[in-house]
Amino acid sequence: MENVKAPTRTIRLVRPPNADGVGVFCLDIDGKCQFYTFLEIRCEIGGRGFAVHRLGQGELYHVRVGAPENTSCECLGFLRWGRCKHIAGLAALIRKGELPTRL
């Protein structure tokens, strides 16, 4: 059986949220950068809500970041595995203090 190496993932805030609340982050997965715009949105059911759009793809995901019971994403990865790069990335930016609460 082959050993499958987990991908190396890093995230960086490219542009902090502007006056309208829109920011940009980059997910680097094994040297391949994917850029996303994001906007924090009101979340009434727990966690912090974000609208996340991958540039050049037209994919828009609604992402919730918080305690495990308050975490979700509309992407196929989350729907299949219960975790995803969008949640992990936004959670990392929040932990680093780079995404203060705007709402």
Side-chain angles (χ1 to χ4, degrees):
M1 181 177 267
E2 247 181 80
N3 287 336
V4 177
K5 185 183 96 166
T8 301
R9 294 181 178 160
T10 58
I11 187 165
R12 66 184 164 89
L13 190 60
V14 175
R15 183 173 301 137
N18 62 17
D20 294 324
V22 178
V24 178
F25 65 81
C26 174
L27 279 174
D28 185 310
I29 301 172
D30 286 338
K32 181 180 175 195
C33 289
Q34 300 171 345
F35 291 90
Y36 293 83
T37 59
F38 67 93
L39 172 68
E40 187 163 1
I41 56 177
R42 186 170 304 283
C43 182
E44 302 290 332
I45 60 173
R48 288 177 66 180
F50 295 88
V52 176
H53 177 258
R54 182 172 169 190
L55 295 177
Q57 293 293 318
E59 299 165 344
L60 175 68
Y61 303 119
H62 292 96
V63 182
R64 282 190 316 140
V65 179
E69 66 274 9
N70 293 325
T71 301
S72 63
C73 184
E74 297 173 327
C75 75
L76 294 176
F78 183 83
L79 296 175
R80 181 170 183 184
W81 305 108
R83 63 186 184 280
C84 72
K85 60 188 175 185
H86 310 107
I87 293 169
L90 287 166
L93 291 175
I94 291 168
R95 275 193 310 276
K96 292 193 294 188
E98 295 185 24
L99 292 182
T101 304
R102 294 182 53 90
L103 301 178

